[in-house]
Each structure stands twice: as C-alpha cells, then as structure tokens.
Amino acid sequence: MVIRMPKVVMIHEITPEVLQKDLSGFDIITFDDGLYTQYLNHEHFAKFNKKMIFFISTSIIRPENIKPSGEVLYCGLAHEKAFKGNFENYMSWDEILELSKLYEIGGHSDRHIKFKNSLKSYPEFKKDTESMVSKFNEHNLRINSFCLPYNQDNTLYTAYLKKLGFTVYSAERIAIERI
C-alpha cells in the first residue's frame, strides 16, 4: 500500500502574482506569519476548497487600537518593523479569531526565532512554545498544527512538538513562488 503525503503550499506575501496561481493541485494551503494581507484575501483562497491553515506567531499580532496596513510587504521587512514595535502589517486577535471560525489556526512559535538544532536550545524553544500555547489559550484557541519559523528543518524542535501532539510542518511545503 502506497501512502501519499499531502501536497502543501506555503504562502507569505499576497502579491498580484500569488492571486493568479492555480492551487487546485494542492491538498493544504498554509499561510505563515499572520500578515494582514492574508486576512484581506482569505476568501480568494477559500474558492479552491482546500484545507487552509494560518500559522501565527503570538508575539507578532497587531493591537486592536492600531490601524492595519494593507500594504503588500515582504515578510522579512514586516518582521523588522514588528521587532521594532510596528505591527501594522499583521492581523489582530479579533481577525485571527474570525478566521478560526472558518479555517484552522496553527502555531508558528511565540517570538518567531530560528532555534539551533541542539540540546542547548531545548529550554529556549520549550519556553517559547509554552508562551505561545498560553497566549492561544487566553483567546480560547486550541491549536493542533505547528509550522517551524523560517521553514527550518530542526529535528529536536520537531520531536518536542510532536511529543506535545502537534502535527508539524516545515521544509516539505512548497513555496508558492516555486509554482
């Protein structure tokens, strides 16, 4: 018996080119980082009638009192702005909760850090994961999936997450820019 792995696409920025892509050949559509433009365009992707997962880093969420920016910004630049305190390019908790009624919300860490694949990093990614889960719990969101930040392939981190019961996504996903 041959088991076929699901074909998973990874999306960050929602550019006009991304909106032209045919995603009907994929089983799962994933969105990394919780960018506001993903929220603005979720209905476009829903027309493919595929499982959709929005991976959220819980320390990179726009406060409700900050006006969102619909600017299409490379996620690295959006991260730079967020790490300096400007979250206008990200979803708010209200928007994430709205999406959770329609699609799956997954974890993407708390602080969006690329951890080393070593035992020395274990206490760091354990603490980061506990913080992330706590923030989701505060908003009554139970998550079952996790995507490693920077799409890294970290066997130790992955083993820890699987032990917690998460379905883990990482380097097996296909970047939308490659299709």
Side-chain angles (χ1 to χ4, degrees), residues 52-56 96-97 99-100 103-107 136 141-145:
M52 291 175 24
I53 308 171
F54 290 82
F55 290 110
I56 305 295
I96 294 165
L97 292 170
L99 290 179
S100 76
Y103 317 107
E104 183 177 346
I105 302 298
F136 278 120
L141 275 177
R142 182 172 175 350
I143 59 169
N144 300 308
S145 299

Side-chain angles (χ1 to χ4, degrees), residues 2-174:
V2 176
I3 298 174
R4 185 180 79 77
M5 298 301 292
K7 195 171 175 186
V8 184
V9 66
M10 167 183 63
I11 301 172
H12 289 86
E13 302 84 19
I14 309 297
T15 64
E17 295 79 22
V18 166
L19 293 171
Q20 298 300 313
K21 303 278 184 171
D22 179 7
L23 303 180
S24 58
F26 288 91
D27 302 303
I28 304 172
I29 302 170
T30 65
F31 301 88
D32 286 11
D33 303 329
L35 295 166
Y36 181 68
T37 54
Q38 296 167 356
Y39 170 79
L40 286 177
N41 291 285
H42 72 90
E43 291 174 341
H44 167 81
F45 296 98
K47 74 181 181 185
F48 292 103
N49 200 29
K50 305 293 179 177
K51 178 178 181 176
M52 291 175 24
I53 308 171
F54 290 82
F55 290 110
I56 305 295
S57 294
T58 52
S59 282
I60 310 174
I61 294 177
R62 190 184 81 254
E64 299 297 334
N65 63 335
I66 302 296
K67 184 179 177 188
S69 171
E71 169 188 28
V72 177
L73 192 63
Y74 168 67
C75 67
L77 294 175
H79 286 342
E80 280 183 37
K81 287 173 63 175
F83 296 149
K84 293 176 182 173
N86 181 341
F87 299 94
E88 70 183 359
N89 297 99
Y90 292 90
M91 291 184 224
S92 68
W93 274 113
D94 282 349
E95 291 154 353
I96 294 165
L97 292 170
E98 181 183 332
L99 290 179
S100 76
K101 295 174 184 168
L102 303 168
Y103 317 107
E104 183 177 346
I105 302 298
H108 198 43
S109 80
D110 182 42
R111 298 176 294 141
H112 203 279
I113 293 173
K114 187 173 186 175
F115 293 108
K116 291 184 176 159
N117 193 22
S118 74
L119 286 175
K120 289 182 181 179
S121 292
Y122 177 82
E124 293 177 64
F125 61 68
K126 182 179 184 286
K127 182 179 177 183
D128 190 83
T129 303
E130 289 169 351
S131 178
M132 175 199 69
V133 169
S134 175
K135 289 176 183 179
F136 278 120
N137 287 342
E138 287 173 19
H139 290 87
N140 296 315
L141 275 177
R142 182 172 175 350
I143 59 169
N144 300 308
S145 299
F146 188 97
C147 176
L148 294 168
Y150 302 101
N151 209 35
Q152 74 182 108
D153 194 10
N154 185 320
T155 55
L156 228 55
Y157 197 3
T158 298
Y160 169 73
L161 294 164
K162 285 184 176 183
K163 186 177 178 185
L164 294 177
F166 289 112
T167 300
V168 180
Y169 295 83
S170 62
E172 77 281 355
R173 298 180 306 151
I174 300 167

